[in-house]
Amino acid sequence: MKIEKIKIKNYKVFEDTEISDLPSMCVFLGANGSGKSTLFDIFGFLSEALRNNVRSAINNRGGFKEVISRNKSGDIEFEIKFRNDAIDGKKQPLITYELKIGLEQNMPIVKREVLSYRRGQMGKPFKFLNFSSGRGFAIINEEKFEEAKQDFQEERKEFLLESADILAIKGLGQFQSFKAISDFRKLLESWYISNFQIPDAKKSQDIGVSESLSSTGDNLALVTDYIYENYPKIFDEILVKMKKRVPGIADVKAAKTEDGRIILKFQDGSFKDPFISRYVSDGTLKMFAYLILMNNPHKHPLLCIEEPENYLHPELLQQLAEEFREYSIKGGQVFISTHSPDFVNALNLEELFWLTKKNGYTFINRAKDDETVKSLVKEGDQLGYLWNQKYFKGSGPQ
């Protein structure tokens, strides 16, 4: 699954912003407060609205007045276009999800929720889901859409939700018969934002099973043990990469203690006894956590990583960028924010975007659309150096 376009209107610093033709790996630059975290929070907002409801997602961000763009009235709007992975080499149709949130009697409600796609470039678009204020319809014979092509005859069913602040994809997305709806629901449920915390990752854990790394990394030891026990070949590949990234590391194990807990132990080839995770460097632990995250067989459709360069040596950032790119090529889209020119030096032109703020609102620019940057890269300049030389206008604090 790959997101190809995002349109945002009246959400915090994004008054009216659109980015299209998104690559598998997108890296965003910008000064502090320019909106990088807010961009990632869009998926957090939608995910929370899916798990609970729109009112809860709004209230947890301070209420409607704090979420809607400053000095703006009207509705908060999102439009996300995505495409599922190709099947037998066949490109899948572009699916569009639209959501409009407004106030009714001072309470947040879903004013409009539509999911649609078309057959081919010129075909008629079909709204497979169309809801407003808690009621609407869904097409129930979606499985015939691909076979019938332009002759598709839709069969609708009306639905009434419990309240107007519930997303229709919350219920309908649980049924495989609504495939497009289910696919988008999975994206919102399975997206991942990294808020890696070194102190949390160094803690021991009660023995148990964790298949995927938490956002803070506090279950790193459990996930390490899970991959080691169930996917030994993948774990060996992680170790090979780890040995290349961190000098001296010969082995990593998730060891069980006598009091029923599990800890990480790092073996330095120069010493007989391994080091418990709380005694290894922060950078070593973070690099290992990233390798566990990106080589886990359970892929996330979308990874959002904020400032991956923290605690890492600049020479490791080139390799880290390659790891993220490899993950995206295998089908997991990656959004990254960074303040590191060294990391940016490892990027391709089409992967880089920068945020600028004017009159309180944020705009998103793409490096490949800037003719000066484009020509300098063609001549051999690296993007991180161009950033230092202030070619990305408005991307710095001044």
Side-chain angles (χ1 to χ4, degrees), residues 113 127-141 154-162 168 172 175 178 181:
E113 183 183 12
K127 295 178 180 178
F128 284 82
L129 176 149
N130 191 351
F131 274 71
S132 178
S133 300
R135 65 174 62 238
F137 71 84
I139 292 177
I140 59 175
N141 61 332
E154 62 188 55
E155 296 177 15
R156 298 184 178 187
K157 184 176 180 179
E158 303 289 332
F159 293 91
L160 178 64
L161 302 175
E162 289 184 354
L172 298 180
F175 299 98
F178 301 107
I181 302 170

Side-chain angles (χ1 to χ4, degrees), residues 26 46 56 105 107 200 203 224 228 241 244 297 372 395:
C26 305
L46 293 173
S56 173
Q105 297 180 346
M107 298 295 290
D200 290 344
K203 294 177 182 177
T224 299
Y228 174 80
K241 292 179 179 180
K244 292 179 180 179
T372 301
S395 63

Side-chain angles (χ1 to χ4, degrees), residues 47-232:
S47 181
E48 189 173 338
L50 174 67
R51 292 194 312 272
N52 301 309
N53 52 52
V54 166
R55 180 172 58 181
S56 173
I58 290 282
N59 289 343
N60 285 340
R61 287 159 178 79
F64 195 84
K65 290 183 179 179
E66 292 299 319
V67 176
I68 194 168
S69 299
R70 296 291 183 185
N71 301 322
K72 295 295 176 181
S73 58
D75 304 320
I76 299 166
E77 300 180 39
F78 304 104
E79 180 184 296
I80 298 176
K81 292 183 181 290
F82 69 99
R83 196 185 303 270
N84 286 319
D85 297 334
I87 300 177
D88 297 327
K90 184 179 179 182
K91 192 175 184 180
Q92 297 302 293
L94 191 66
I95 301 174
T96 302
Y97 180 76
E98 302 169 67
L99 179 65
K100 182 185 290 188
I101 299 168
L103 289 177
E104 186 175 277
Q105 297 180 346
N106 289 321
M107 298 295 290
I109 66 163
V110 178
K111 284 193 172 182
R112 175 179 166 86
E113 183 183 12
V114 175
L115 189 143
S116 60
Y117 61 93
R118 68 178 74 213
R119 175 73 192 187
Q121 294 296 322
M122 304 301 293
K124 175 185 175 183
F126 286 94
K127 295 178 180 178
F128 284 82
L129 176 149
N130 191 351
F131 274 71
S132 178
S133 300
R135 65 174 62 238
F137 71 84
I139 292 177
I140 59 175
N141 61 332
E142 180 185 346
E143 72 280 357
K144 298 179 181 178
F145 181 65
E146 288 296 317
E147 300 174 6
K149 299 183 180 181
Q150 303 300 338
D151 298 324
F152 177 67
Q153 298 295 316
E154 62 188 55
E155 296 177 15
R156 298 184 178 187
K157 184 176 180 179
E158 303 289 332
F159 293 91
L160 178 64
L161 302 175
E162 289 184 354
S163 65
D165 62 351
I166 296 176
L167 297 183
I169 59 171
K170 179 175 183 176
L172 298 180
Q174 298 181 49
F175 299 98
Q176 282 300 313
S177 55
F178 301 107
K179 188 176 186 309
I181 302 170
S182 177
D183 288 339
F184 190 70
R185 178 191 170 107
K186 288 176 183 176
L187 169 65
L188 296 183
E189 286 181 331
S190 304
W191 83 293
Y192 175 94
I193 184 166
S194 175
N195 183 27
F196 188 75
Q197 302 293 323
I198 295 292
D200 290 344
K202 289 187 174 184
K203 294 177 182 177
S204 61
Q205 294 286 303
D206 291 332
I207 291 177
V209 177
S210 282
E211 297 181 5
S212 299
L213 197 65
S214 68
S215 62
T216 63
D218 62 355
N219 64 343
L220 178 59
L222 294 177
V223 180
T224 299
D225 186 58
Y226 171 78
I227 296 177
Y228 174 80
E229 294 289 347
N230 295 279
Y231 301 94

